[in-house]
Amino acid sequence: MGTFFSEPGWLCLTVTAVLGGTILCKLKTSPGQVGRKVVCLAGLWGGACLISLSLFWGLVLFSLSYFVMYTYFSGQELLPVDQKAVLITGCDSGFGHGLAKYLDELGFTVFAGVLDEQGSGAEELRRTCSKHLSVLQLNITNTQEIQEAYSKVKEKVQNKGLWAVINNAGVLGLPTDGELIPMTEYKRCMAVNFFGAVEVTKAFLPLLRKSKGRLVNISSMAGGVPMQKMAAYGSSKAALIMFSSILRQELSKWGVKVSVIQPGGFKTNISGTSQMWETLERTVLDNLSPEVQEDYGQDYILSERSLLRLMKTCTDPDISPVLLDVRHAISAQSPFAFYAPGKLSYPWLCFASFSPTGIFDYLSRKIYNYDKKMPRVLSTSNWENEAM
Ligand SMILES: NC(=O)c1ccc[n+]([C@@H]2O[C@H](COP(=O)([O-])OP(=O)(O)OC[C@H]3O[C@@H](n4cnc5c(N)ncnc54)[C@H](OP(=O)(O)O)[C@@H]3O)[C@@H](O)[C@H]2O)c1
């Protein structure tokens, strides 16, 4: 107690309080996960210092850590919106649709790319958003549509320039064992989630370089965490992460900042409809060799429906963490290279990166064992003996 009431102790306490208060005030203006991360970091660090050191040195280190964080987070202040122009792909539904509305409300000039400009999503955007939002027909797997969208955007922004491109459009494909996923599904996932995003990026980069703007690519937690049944989707999202990371380095000389968003599970149209799943299941069954079909069995293949149900029931309907992180990526003076919105996304990404493979695989098998169904051969016969 003596040390606490000594002069240096009071001094450090005051410095801590002042710096901490200033940071917390700044965080009020900074959206997204920044606030959560700072509070966690500060709490952990402060706790560690106070437990392991004397009160005096604990407070000194605590104050220093606040100072370092203050300097770091002063780069997180948001730039004025100033009707900056942003292009978002995949605005028919889900994150893209939500983002288009959110950024329009904030005062951005939004170019909302849609897969179907006559569809209900596009119609709703036209009906509910301001006159600053333009809906653009933009199938990102179609070179001509990308070029046409580029010409329209260039003509509209004129000298003002395009500030940000948000590559959001994506497809999940049919989540099932990698051996069962048809090649058409692997190619479809790559075509939309990777090549589509790459082509849009290449087309619009001249505008982004001019504005020293932002490129934001929506990948997925599944691009960094190996998840069963996600071989096609996860690989395409992992490719997008690597592409973005390389561009981040290359484009820094142009002043363009690149961020990757890796959301966890949110309730959107990504999980598809029962009708879509039926078609995909049919495609899987039609493409399997008799040998593979015999080994896995139809029941196993059709049981993947439980995953659809899980995705529909266990995911978060509130997509605001994604919207806030994208806003931070396009508005902060120094945006982060990676964002991981969603309850478990960040811990899973850390765990997958740093834990020993054996432990990760064991836990992931336990947690992501969607149902206990096994392939026909493994559940009925003495497979090991047969294999011998
Ligand atoms: N929801 C999640 O839990 C989650 C998690 C991690 C990452 N993500 C990623 O977040 C992004 C948005 O997904 P979401 O969850 O919002 O799902 P969503 O509601 O299905 O939105 C995806 C959008 O992309 C559109 N799209 C599909 N193919 C396209 C193409 N070739 N060209 C242009 N647009 C196309 C879809 O149009 P239609 O509706 O007409 O098909 C849809 O509007 C995706 O990249 C997804 O991989 C989602």
Side-chain angles (χ1 to χ4, degrees):
M1 281 303 269
T3 326
F4 186 79
F5 289 110
S6 69
E7 269 179 28
W10 278 112
L11 185 71
C12 289
L13 196 61
T14 312
V15 173
T16 304
V18 170
L19 289 178
T22 320
I23 286 172
L24 288 176
C25 283
K26 271 184 170 286
L27 287 174
K28 272 194 185 162
T29 58
S30 194
Q33 58 186 0
V34 186
R36 294 201 300 273
K37 273 189 183 163
V38 169
V39 172
C40 286
L41 272 177
L44 280 175
W45 179 244
C49 289
L50 290 172
I51 287 169
S52 57
L53 300 167
S54 70
L55 192 58
F56 173 74
W57 285 110
L59 286 173
V60 169
L61 281 180
F62 200 22
S63 311
L64 270 177
S65 68
Y66 263 132
F67 179 70
V68 171
M69 278 192 282
Y70 175 82
T71 314
Y72 179 66
F73 283 105
S74 56
Q76 305 309 309
E77 266 172 41
L78 301 184
L79 301 168
V81 172
D82 216 10
Q83 290 196 352
K84 287 188 176 68
V86 298
L87 169 76
I88 312 164
T89 65
C91 295
D92 308 71
S93 58
F95 298 161
H97 190 83
L99 263 173
K101 285 180 169 172
Y102 176 57
L103 297 183
D104 176 63
E105 258 169 39
L106 290 174
F108 285 90
T109 302
V110 177
F111 293 98
V114 291
L115 186 57
D116 177 9
E117 64 178 339
Q118 307 303 335
S120 57
E123 202 46 57
E124 193 184 325
L125 289 179
R126 274 190 285 260
R127 192 167 41 80
T128 56
C129 294
S130 78
K131 63 177 184 351
H132 298 297
L133 181 140
S134 318
V135 173
L136 295 179
Q137 174 58 40
L138 179 52
N139 176 349
I140 61 164
T141 61
N142 183 322
T143 304
Q144 199 187 331
E145 285 190 15
I146 294 175
Q147 286 311 324
E148 282 169 9
Y150 174 73
S151 306
K152 283 181 191 158
V153 171
K154 195 175 171 196
E155 192 194 320
K156 280 208 170 173
V157 296
Q158 302 268 327
N159 295 335
K160 234 180 111 240
L162 179 69
W163 173 249
V165 170
I166 302 163
N167 279 307
N168 161 76
V171 290
L172 179 69
L174 179 69
T176 185
D177 291 31
E179 188 180 353
L180 305 177
I181 298 175
M183 280 316 294
T184 49
E185 277 301 291
Y186 278 104
K187 288 178 185 167
R188 189 169 76 97
C189 277
M190 284 307 274
V192 181
N193 299 346
F194 181 62
F195 292 123
V198 171
E199 196 167 347
V200 170
T201 303
K202 276 168 64 65
F204 284 89
L205 263 179
L207 293 180
L208 289 190
R209 282 192 285 103
K210 233 175 250 168
S211 65
K212 294 189 172 35
R214 304 289 162 87
L215 173 66
V216 180
N217 289 335
I218 313 279
S219 175
S220 168
M221 178 180 101
V225 178
M227 295 170 84
Q228 292 178 61
K229 321 269 183 200
M230 298 281 178
Y233 179 74
S235 311
S236 64
K237 290 296 187 180
L240 183 62
I241 292 174
M242 185 52 82
F243 172 73
S244 313
S245 301
I246 292 170
L247 257 71
R248 186 186 71 240
Q249 298 174 347
E250 293 173 352
L251 292 173
S252 66
K253 57 180 169 289
W254 295 95
V256 176
K257 297 191 167 103
V258 182
S259 298
V260 178
I261 316 282
Q262 293 185 263
F266 290 90
K267 197 179 284 178
T268 62
N269 286 2
I270 196 101
S271 49
T273 56
S274 314
Q275 199 187 1
M276 194 182 101
W277 274 59
E278 269 165 35
T279 316
L280 287 169
E281 279 163 1
R282 196 47 33 226
T283 318
V284 170
L285 290 170
D286 291 347
N287 280 282
L288 291 183
S289 66
E291 188 190 2
V292 176
Q293 203 163 139
E294 175 67 15
D295 285 350
Y296 280 85
Q298 270 213 18
D299 282 357
Y300 179 81
I301 295 161
L302 297 177
S303 73
E304 305 298 7
R305 286 286 177 94
S306 58
L307 181 55
L308 171 70
R309 275 192 291 275
L310 196 79
M311 286 175 77
K312 284 205 185 291
T313 51
C314 297
T315 44
D316 194 345
D318 175 17
I319 64 167
S320 58
V322 179
L323 308 189
L324 289 172
D325 281 350
V326 173
R327 185 200 173 183
H328 187 267
I330 62 170
S331 298
Q333 269 173 11
S334 308
F336 297 122
F338 293 95
Y339 296 79
K343 282 186 193 104
L344 288 176
S345 185
Y346 190 65
W348 264 113
L349 284 161
C350 293
F351 186 53
S353 305
F354 302 119
S355 66
T357 319
I359 296 179
F360 175 80
D361 285 354
Y362 174 78
L363 280 175
S364 137
R365 257 199 313 273
K366 287 267 168 230
I367 293 169
Y368 288 110
N369 195 3
Y370 305 106
D371 62 6
K372 303 277 183 287
K373 194 106 194 135
M374 289 294 270
R376 194 197 62 81
V377 169
L378 294 180
S379 58
T380 53
S381 70
N382 195 339
W383 172 249
E384 278 170 28
N385 290 346
E386 268 183 30
M388 302 278 273

